Amino acid sequence: MFDTTKIDSFKKRIMITGGAGFIGSHCCRYFVNKYPDYLIVNFDALTYAGNLGNLRDIETKDNYCFVLGDIRKSEEVSRIFERYKITDVIHLAAESHVDRSIKNPNVFVETNVLGTLNLLNVAKEFWKEDYSKHRFHHVSTDEVYGSLSENEHPFKETNKYMPHSPYSASKASSDHFVRAFHDTYGLNVTISNCSNNYGPNQFPEKLIPLVINNILNSKEIPVYGNGLNIRDWLYVEDHTSAIDLIFHEGINGETYNVGGHNEKTNLDIINDLIDLTLEVNKKTLKNVILKPRINFIQDRLGHDKRYAIDNTKIKALGWKPANSYKKNLEKTVRWYFKNQKWLEDVTNKEYQNYYKTMYKNGE
């Protein structure tokens, strides 16, 4: 239990929502280690993708605490704001998987839209004496901009919103609410719209950990459509450094697009992962792994063709990715090799049932 008598000793007391998830856990770790004079309050509902095992290395740090809570419940949010004297918010909590949004869009509205609105309302009330002393940073997605053709210029912050999936529609709505609270009430906000993240601790419903997990378990790799949909891939640690920069240096009311400048087709990613996994396995002699079969399955409904990010605005703040795509992808593969127990724990019966439902026509 965190000693609340120490709260006033911290320069900032930042609530990071969704801090037990993939990006959230990396964000918590980054801020806890870089800013010992900040208290990081990890507020997470621990749904299927939340895992406190992601944070064992910082769970005993003096400037970190975890609070089980749900952003859909405003009374819980208010209680945490009051108890920990929250000065700032980095909002990452979200339902984020497109396939799940197609099957059950209501959950995405409840969490991504109403949950964000609850946070904004509580922040507006608690910080009303002087909004300029507090920041509400909202993490969103490039999917709100819709889809690009192969020859179109990458998304800029001025692109119109044209979401195509229930997931991206819910994130677009949450972005609009954040801007509305800035324009209407004067809340000090920033928004970042990021491309596809990858790295350690990512739940294996997303492409990269799904492929690695299937290779390690000698399963076929399901690929939607022809596999030629293009995404821009951003290493998660590069993303957290961008969040840090925007949180501290971003202009009130502004949006910043964050991408890795790594446009790859899904097939490119899968083939790179197959080659890397077989190479790493050969060096470590860890498993008996055969080259997997790729199985093309029925395309996802409303599947966007291409996402790409124009990084000009955030680079002007001084940000750039730390390492190359190849180095980061190899680091990611090596992490999953070393942490196969983590994969086993998260790919439990509930996940297996989900997997079979989503990809049944590929088995």
Side-chain angles (χ1 to χ4, degrees):
M1 180 68 70
F2 179 78
D3 183 1
T4 55
T5 63
K6 298 178 180 179
I7 284 175
D8 290 328
S9 67
F10 292 100
K11 182 179 178 181
K12 289 182 180 292
R13 296 168 295 276
I14 305 172
M15 173 191 279
I16 296 183
T17 68
F22 168 46
I23 302 172
S25 61
H26 284 275
C27 192
C28 283
R29 180 178 299 106
Y30 181 100
F31 274 77
V32 164
N33 289 330
K34 185 173 181 179
Y35 299 105
D37 56 342
Y38 291 4
L39 172 63
I40 303 303
V41 179
N42 175 2
F43 188 73
D44 196 294
L46 293 184
T47 55
Y48 73 94
N51 185 350
L52 289 178
N54 297 346
L55 294 156
R56 288 200 181 101
D57 57 323
I58 64 167
E59 63 186 5
T60 60
K61 296 268 188 176
D62 291 339
N63 64 328
Y64 169 81
C65 67
F66 168 74
V67 178
L68 179 66
D70 191 335
I71 61 171
R72 296 174 301 176
K73 299 176 180 178
S74 58
E75 68 279 4
E76 291 186 6
V77 177
S78 294
R79 186 166 63 249
I80 300 310
F81 262 70
E82 185 170 6
R83 180 174 185 184
Y84 293 93
K85 301 181 180 179
I86 298 298
T87 60
D88 304 90
V89 170
I90 297 175
H91 178 32
L92 285 141
E95 294 285 347
S96 65
H97 192 40
V98 173
D99 290 346
R100 289 180 185 264
S101 80
I102 291 169
K103 292 187 73 67
N104 187 359
N106 287 30
V107 172
F108 284 70
V109 172
E110 291 165 8
T111 299
N112 299 355
V113 184
L114 298 179
T116 300
L117 182 56
N118 283 337
L119 286 165
L120 289 164
N121 276 324
V122 173
K124 177 174 72 73
E125 180 61 27
F126 274 82
W127 299 341
K128 61 186 177 183
E129 288 186 8
D130 189 349
Y131 291 138
S132 67
K133 294 180 179 179
H134 310 278
R135 169 141 288 178
F136 189 107
H137 179 66
H138 175 62
V139 178
S140 189
T141 173
D142 58 357
E143 297 185 42
V144 299
Y145 298 120
S147 183
L148 295 167
S149 68
E150 289 189 26
N151 298 319
E152 282 184 280
H153 189 277
F155 298 129
K156 301 185 78 169
E157 290 81 359
T158 52
N159 274 59
K160 291 181 179 179
Y161 275 29
M162 296 183 65
H164 293 152
S165 71
Y167 162 62
S168 56
S170 70
K171 290 299 290 184
S173 180
S174 66
D175 292 5
H176 290 320
F177 270 108
V178 173
R179 289 194 186 92
F181 270 65
H182 169 263
D183 294 345
T184 304
Y185 306 110
L187 209 63
N188 179 358
V189 308
T190 46
I191 297 173
S192 55
N193 294 85
C194 68
S195 59
N196 282 38
N197 279 225
Y198 68 100
N201 299 109
Q202 190 172 26
F203 190 78
E205 66 184 357
K206 299 298 176 77
L207 179 64
I208 287 177
L210 184 151
V211 170
I212 295 170
N213 189 50
N214 281 22
I215 295 172
L216 290 173
N217 289 283
S218 302
K219 287 185 173 183
E220 294 178 344
I221 299 172
V223 180
Y224 282 129
N226 59 14
L228 299 182
N229 300 77
I230 298 168
R231 300 293 181 262
D232 174 31
W233 293 91
L234 173 68
Y235 190 57
V236 66
E237 291 179 5
D238 290 325
H239 186 194
T240 54
S241 70
I243 290 171
D244 175 29
L245 184 64
I246 297 166
F247 177 81
H248 287 98
E249 305 294 336
I251 297 171
N252 183 13
E254 291 291 308
T255 294
Y256 298 85
N257 286 347
V258 186
H261 262 309
N262 294 304
E263 286 190 56
K264 308 285 181 184
T265 68
N266 289 340
L267 276 180
D268 288 338
I269 290 286
I270 290 167
N271 286 321
D272 286 345
L273 285 170
I274 291 172
D275 292 343
L276 274 171
T277 303
L278 295 175
E279 179 185 334
V280 169
N281 187 67
K282 186 177 180 181
K283 289 178 180 177
T284 60
L285 300 176
K286 197 164 183 74
N287 295 344
V288 177
I289 297 178
L290 301 176
K291 188 170 183 177
R293 175 175 176 264
I294 294 174
N295 191 14
F296 295 92
I297 64 174
Q298 183 177 344
D299 204 0
R300 168 191 282 167
L301 296 173
H303 202 174
D304 289 337
K305 174 63 179 175
R306 172 178 170 243
Y307 305 140
I309 290 285
D310 183 330
N311 274 336
T312 303
K313 188 172 179 179
I314 189 164
K315 283 186 174 179
L317 276 185
W319 177 86
K320 65 178 180 180
N323 292 307
S324 70
Y325 156 77
K326 283 286 188 180
K327 283 184 178 179
N328 287 331
L329 197 64
E330 182 175 350
K331 280 167 61 178
T332 302
V333 169
R334 288 186 178 278
W335 186 89
Y336 283 102
F337 259 77
K338 291 178 182 178
N339 293 274
Q340 290 187 47
K341 178 62 166 63
W342 183 92
L343 270 173
E344 291 170 9
D345 288 344
V346 299
T347 53
N348 54 25
K349 185 177 180 181
E350 188 265 345
Y351 171 81
Q352 293 296 340
N353 289 338
Y354 163 75
Y355 182 93
K356 289 174 183 176
T357 300
M358 295 311 304
Y359 300 112
K360 61 185 177 183
N361 64 339
E363 294 190 342

